[in-house]
Amino acid sequence: MSETEAMLSEVDALRGDIYQLLARLLRQSPDVELLAWLAELEVEQDGTRLAECWVGLAQAAAQADPERLQRAHFRHLVGVIQGDIVPYASWYQQGELMEAALVALRRDLRVLGFERSERTHEPEDHLAAVCEVMGMLVEAQADEQVAFFQQHLAPWAKRCFDDVADVETAFYAALGALGSAFMESEQARISDRAAHQPVRLVT
């Protein structure tokens, strides 16, 4: 394995971990152990927005109370009827739940071989579920990861994370900022990769 290939593998492993962490924090509030782990993160200060957002999340985790975060998670992302944020692709793209975005996602998930878990109650276009799938595609180095991102995350995920960043709970605001910055980073990575693809000349 070349040095470049090893570096790319490390980057992809980190990307996969970030997708899974975002999914975990969107799906349920963090427990004491996860908060402690986040609070102790050592962030490389490279001047990027993403690094600043990691610092913000670590600081918010250090000051957070698990019981209060549990209530905040319900208020912001679940709700009795709906939370402050409705983290579904159909909602952000069509303005209603269970719409075309969910149908398209279910079709692509079947093609990719993913099946909905019986323990999962929310529709598959919940942002946590889409991040989980994307994380698995990254970890598997699947060729479909770029197309999946462009089809099922790029049109709406950053807007959803931006809305999460506006809530009054510091931890979830920091989570939203991190998710938004990561979506920007992923889009830039895909655009950069496309710019360096060889051009085929057809005669």
Side-chain angles (χ1 to χ4, degrees), residues 44-59:
E44 180 181 352
Q45 296 284 6
D46 58 5
T48 63
R49 181 190 174 207
L50 190 58
E52 292 176 358
C53 291
W54 276 115
V55 172
L57 184 65
Q59 292 174 343

Side-chain angles (χ1 to χ4, degrees), residues 50-199:
L50 190 58
E52 292 176 358
C53 291
W54 276 115
V55 172
L57 184 65
Q59 292 174 343
Q63 300 171 6
D65 175 77
E67 292 186 4
R68 290 183 178 179
L69 284 189
Q70 190 172 21
R71 294 192 294 271
H73 179 271
F74 183 84
R75 183 170 70 254
H76 297 320
L77 293 164
V78 182
V80 176
I81 298 177
Q82 66 184 44
D84 299 328
I85 312 299
V86 185
Y88 294 91
S90 292
W91 182 267
Y92 273 83
Q93 294 185 257
Q94 283 89 40
E96 298 286 346
L97 296 176
M98 309 291 285
E99 288 291 335
L102 175 59
V103 174
L105 176 61
R106 284 175 170 170
R107 178 196 62 219
D108 289 348
L109 290 176
R110 284 194 298 270
V111 171
L112 291 168
F114 288 97
E115 294 183 3
R116 182 178 178 181
S117 170
E118 294 180 355
R119 296 173 297 176
T120 303
H121 302 294
E122 70 268 5
E124 295 90 328
D125 64 336
H126 190 288
L127 184 53
V130 184
C131 283
E132 282 177 344
V133 172
M134 187 65 196
M136 287 186 278
L137 292 176
V138 170
E139 291 163 3
Q141 297 184 354
D143 293 336
E144 298 87 354
Q145 62 178 281
V146 172
F148 187 88
F149 178 89
Q150 296 289 51
Q151 178 69 29
H152 301 297
L153 279 168
W156 71 285
K158 183 182 182 302
R159 286 188 289 131
C160 183
F161 278 120
D162 285 338
D163 288 342
V164 177
D166 283 337
V167 302
E168 73 272 14
T169 305
F171 180 84
Y172 284 102
L175 173 63
L178 175 66
S180 175
F182 183 59
M183 291 300 107
E184 282 184 351
S185 173
E186 285 288 272
Q187 187 64 70
R189 177 182 174 278
I190 290 171
S191 298
D192 184 65
R193 178 179 174 183
H196 289 85
Q197 289 291 329
V199 177

Side-chain angles (χ1 to χ4, degrees), residues 1-10 141:
M1 178 181 292
S2 70
E3 183 177 348
T4 300
E5 289 173 335
M7 182 177 65
L8 288 175
S9 296
E10 184 177 347
Q141 297 184 354

